[in-house]
Amino acid sequence: QVQLVESGGGLVQPGGSLRLSCAASRSLFSFNVMGWYRQAPGKQRELVATITTGGSTNYADSVKGRFTISRDVTKNTVSLQMNSLKIEDTARYYCNARKGGGDYWGQGTQVTVSS
């Protein structure tokens, strides 16, 4: 059983920063890809950023230059540093881990950007 636990969400003003963390119940090397997705009310879940076992990263165009995904393999955590937050970044953010045919999700953490 894989568990992913997100933390770090909250309320922030436009232009502010937040750092999300995802703690995995097993070694990050157990997965091919880990990432962050988000879902806003009334919208489909969308990719935000991913990082592979080899450390390659990928970002949605809407967050490039503002968000940074990173990992700490000693702590089995994946983080998402979010800077210059915009109102449209408001969503529930989910941690994802992928291994072969398996797709694992955390419960999510809410990020609200509002003045």
Side-chain angles (χ1 to χ4, degrees):
Q1 185 76 7
V2 175
Q3 289 187 323
L4 303 172
V5 180
E6 301 99 333
S7 62
L11 173 64
V12 64
Q13 292 186 337
S17 298
L18 280 176
R19 185 177 180 87
L20 307 182
S21 291
C22 171
S25 60
R26 63 173 66 173
S27 170
L28 299 187
F29 293 115
S30 300
F31 310 108
N32 300 118
V33 183
M34 294 198 71
W36 289 94
Y37 290 70
R38 66 187 182 187
Q39 187 168 18
K43 294 188 177 181
Q44 289 189 330
R45 191 172 295 189
E46 63 177 4
L47 179 146
V48 176
T50 60
I51 186 165
T52 68
T53 303
S56 298
T57 58
N58 181 52
Y59 297 91
D61 287 343
S62 59
V63 307
K64 281 180 182 176
R66 300 189 297 123
F67 292 10
T68 302
I69 189 170
S70 62
R71 61 182 182 174
D72 185 336
V73 298
T74 64
K75 298 180 179 178
N76 295 336
T77 59
V78 176
S79 298
L80 185 69
Q81 178 66 42
M82 305 186 295
N83 299 327
S84 302
L85 282 161
K86 304 176 180 180
I87 291 175
E88 51 263 42
D89 293 318
T90 296
R92 190 162 186 85
Y93 284 69
Y94 296 88
C95 182
N96 171 265
R98 201 160 291 172
K99 176 186 178 182
D103 214 5
Y104 306 95
W105 295 92
Q107 294 298 306
T109 184
Q110 180 67 34
V111 171
T112 302
V113 185
S114 175
S115 56

